[in-house]
Amino acid sequence: MKTIDLKAHLQLDMALGEVLQKRRTNRDCQSKQLDEEVLSTLLWACAGITDEDGRRTVPSTMDLRAVTSYVLRADGAWRYNAAQNCLEQTTDKDVREVSTVRQFDYVKTAPVTIVFVADKERSKTARPTGVYVDAGTMGQNCYLAATAMGLAGCIRASFEHEELRKAMNLTEYLEPILLFTVGYPK
Ligand SMILES: Cc1cc2nc3c(=O)[nH]c(=O)nc-3n(C[C@H](O)[C@H](O)[C@H](O)COP(=O)(O)O)c2cc1C
């Protein structure tokens, strides 16, 4: 399996009040690839481990941590391994376009779509809505980090879960449930 080591995440120093005031959906981004530190910071914000017991920047239903972040880029789909701070490739195909139902141009232009993937085996003892709430908090953390770093981003729920799962080469019990598409603003 191909892996890429990620750089350390950046310190985000915009005041929380300002971040909340400024947060907006912005679908207008450049195709320029995100700097490695910037991608690493987005991933840390939505799924980074912040405690020795494995707890993260986000809460999780019954502490199951059943939602994992993946990255779609031109060079393939990648699983974020938070413990190792690296990306693990699941396919070398560019499947960003599969993550949009109406072929929105911004999804094809944006360099990165973060995919929140639910592990249905791991979450089976929780309510079915739990993983969606988990993913929502992860998406909001992406918005907050994106705002603090001056990025354009959009959370997205309209896509074909099964089609994307297959394109990302994921096993059947893993389900992509929410997306965050992001890049530098135009
Ligand atoms: C659960 C959820 C699903 C969404 N799905 C999509 C989507 O599929 N495509 C899209 O372009 N925007 C999507 N959005 C973004 C909303 O359109 C956006 O948040 C809304 O217009 C308000 O704008 P704001 O985020 O700037 O406050 C979604 C937002 C949420 C919370």
Side-chain angles (χ1 to χ4, degrees):
M1 177 180 44
K2 192 170 171 185
T3 62
I4 297 177
D5 288 330
L6 289 166
K7 294 203 169 162
H9 67 85
L10 300 168
Q11 294 303 315
L12 297 172
D13 53 15
M14 186 183 282
L16 179 59
E18 188 181 352
V19 174
L20 292 172
Q21 180 69 39
K22 285 188 170 161
R23 186 216 62 82
R24 281 291 169 273
T25 291
N26 182 353
R27 301 174 182 86
D28 236 1
C29 61
Q30 307 171 33
S31 58
K32 180 180 175 309
Q33 191 50 255
L34 293 181
D35 291 341
E36 287 179 34
E37 297 89 340
V38 169
L39 177 61
S40 165
T41 307
L42 280 169
L43 292 169
W44 174 79
C46 68
I49 296 172
T50 49
D51 210 325
E52 282 171 8
D53 66 5
R55 278 183 292 172
R56 312 189 290 183
T57 51
V58 284
S60 89
T61 305
M62 293 173 68
D63 201 19
L64 291 169
R65 302 163 207 162
V67 180
T68 296
S69 302
Y70 287 67
V71 173
L72 308 183
R73 308 194 294 199
D75 61 358
W78 303 81
R79 178 181 178 274
Y80 173 50
N81 179 331
Q84 304 293 326
N85 198 33
C86 71
L87 296 176
E88 300 164 345
Q89 194 172 50
T90 65
T91 175
D92 60 5
K93 296 192 178 63
D94 181 357
V95 300
R96 287 174 297 168
E97 221 176 309
V98 185
S99 76
T100 176
V101 276
R102 275 168 278 165
Q103 308 301 314
F104 288 119
D105 280 344
Y106 73 91
V107 173
K108 289 185 263 174
T109 306
V112 167
T113 284
I114 295 174
V115 185
F116 302 113
V117 175
D119 181 330
K120 292 187 285 186
E121 279 296 313
R122 202 173 164 86
S123 68
K124 66 185 175 196
T125 53
R127 288 171 195 265
T129 49
V131 286
Y132 288 92
V133 178
D134 286 14
T137 69
M138 297 167 89
Q140 176 69 359
N141 275 20
C142 280
Y143 265 120
L144 299 179
T147 302
M149 293 190 285
L151 304 174
C154 177
I155 201 164
R156 299 192 291 119
S158 298
F159 69 100
E160 295 297 336
H161 297 198
E162 188 60 8
E163 206 181 321
L164 184 58
R165 178 188 73 75
K166 287 180 183 156
M168 290 172 69
N169 212 12
L170 302 179
T171 191
E172 268 177 26
Y173 60 80
L174 297 180
E175 182 181 352
I177 54 173
L178 194 65
L179 312 166
F180 188 78
T181 295
V182 61
Y184 294 108
K186 277 192 181 149

